[in-house]
Amino acid sequence: MSAPSSSTPPKIFDRERIAAHLSRRNAADDFVATLVVEDLADRLMPITRRFERALVMGPDAAALPSGGRSAEGEFAFERRATILPGQDADLVDPENLELPRADYDLIVSLLDLQVVNDVPGYLSRIHQHLAPDGLFIAAVFGGASLSELREAWLQADAATSGGAFARVAPFIDVRDGGGLLQRAGFALPVADLENHIVRYSDPLALMREIKKLGASNPLAEQPARMTMPGVLAAALEAYGRIASDPDGRVRATMQIVWLSGWAPHESQQKPLKPGSAQVSLKTVLGSKA
């Protein structure tokens, strides 16, 4: 048997495990998906473009919007699920993305990018399915999401076993977003961040909600043994030290990174060539220059 190619991305996420988690959740209670869909609607509204071939992808078909509205009017989404399909949303594989068209004028990815093993490859394949001047928008959990929980588990594992296990998935840093889009060939890349603080009665309530939302540990590599009661108790205690408020409740950080980029087109704004400015900086700033 030949050795695997060095260019093959490592398997970080177990999508079968994610599917099992999502299948047990109640989509109607998913406040995170609701928040992201509402934010997407606000972001589409000011765009002066009529979208006639729009597609939206995400883990669960039940959480995907059926349509949107830009400044030019309403439009329908073709829906594709990347983990749990629905009656009108076929399953697609983001690791080997194949879509029915190569001329979409809008592709949206909602909360799936953070569990894709080959992010650069995924973005490149999306780019290949866009028409020239087509728009790509993605919402993804940001790097500081659940940072309190990650630190609490690290402290608990260090205190009880002298080691550390990955119990919270890594997330994309907003500072890397624009670079990932550029690497995939997108023009005019933009990455911005929205921070949300969610409060819970105690750390265990947060852990229960993560499980209820189907967002439990998605990593392919899991601790070899079940979490012992002593480790859990240490994690709960550490979380209280890290993120408790005076009223006894605890904080949890949720970051949503929004990425957007356009398939290149000759009509798009181009940066000026060096030395082509008509007014010097010295003229604008006067004696301060």
Side-chain angles (χ1 to χ4, degrees):
M1 180 180 295
S2 60
S5 170
S6 60
S7 62
T8 301
K11 183 180 178 181
I12 301 172
F13 304 103
D14 186 334
R15 299 184 77 82
E16 291 183 1
R17 178 177 288 117
I18 298 170
H21 291 164
L22 287 177
S23 66
R24 294 192 291 265
R25 99 193 208 285
N26 184 349
D29 295 333
D30 193 339
F31 75 94
V32 179
T34 300
L35 175 70
V36 168
V37 170
E38 291 175 351
D39 201 351
L40 172 67
D42 292 340
R43 289 168 180 270
L44 290 171
M45 188 70 72
I47 299 175
T48 54
R49 187 68 59 90
R50 183 175 296 279
F51 296 118
E52 298 179 353
R53 300 174 302 278
L55 177 140
V56 62
M57 294 184 293
D60 187 356
L64 298 177
S66 59
R69 183 181 184 88
S70 71
E72 300 298 321
E74 295 182 354
F75 60 90
F77 272 123
E78 177 185 325
R79 307 197 308 165
R80 291 289 183 269
T82 56
I83 294 180
L84 290 184
Q87 290 184 344
D88 61 345
D90 293 336
L91 188 68
V92 295
D93 179 7
E95 307 291 354
N96 186 27
L97 187 64
E98 294 184 4
L99 298 173
R101 316 182 62 107
D103 62 347
Y104 290 102
D105 46 29
L106 173 65
I107 294 179
V108 176
S109 170
L110 297 181
L111 299 181
D112 192 56
L113 199 60
Q114 71 269 354
V115 289
V116 172
N117 291 302
D118 181 13
V119 173
Y122 178 50
L123 294 177
S124 294
R125 287 185 284 272
I126 286 177
H127 180 275
Q128 294 167 6
H129 287 89
L130 281 171
D133 209 26
L135 174 62
F136 170 62
I137 300 176
V140 56
F141 286 120
S145 294
L146 299 179
S147 56
E148 304 90 349
L149 185 60
R150 181 182 291 107
E151 179 60 27
W153 278 117
L154 287 173
Q155 290 187 19
D157 283 329
T160 57
S161 65
F165 303 98
R167 300 179 186 270
V168 179
F171 299 118
I172 294 175
D173 194 298
V174 66
R175 293 170 295 184
D176 299 329
L180 287 168
L181 291 172
Q182 285 184 317
R183 178 178 172 183
F186 287 96
L188 309 175
V190 175
D192 65 272
L193 182 67
E194 294 205 359
N195 283 301
H196 303 275
I197 301 297
V198 187
R199 300 207 315 146
Y200 294 89
S201 59
D202 55 68
L204 200 55
L206 165 64
M207 295 179 187
R208 290 190 182 116
E209 178 147 87
I210 290 173
K211 184 175 182 179
K212 184 179 72 172
L213 294 177
S216 300
N217 191 345
L219 298 175
E221 291 190 9
Q222 300 275 328
R225 59 184 182 181
M226 295 182 61
T227 301
M228 303 301 291
V231 181
L232 176 59
L236 297 177
E237 181 182 359
Y239 201 108
R241 293 195 306 269
I242 293 167
S244 63
D245 286 334
D247 62 359
R249 297 174 70 83
V250 296
R251 303 179 304 278
T253 299
M254 182 178 69
Q255 282 189 339
I256 304 296
V257 175
W258 284 92
L259 306 175
S260 65
W262 298 81
H265 188 264
E266 60 184 11
S267 66
Q268 292 167 354
Q269 181 180 354
K270 303 293 192 301
L272 294 175
K273 295 180 179 179
S276 63
Q278 301 299 309
V279 180
S280 71
L281 185 62
K282 185 174 181 179
T283 300
V284 175
L285 299 180
S287 59
K288 295 182 179 180

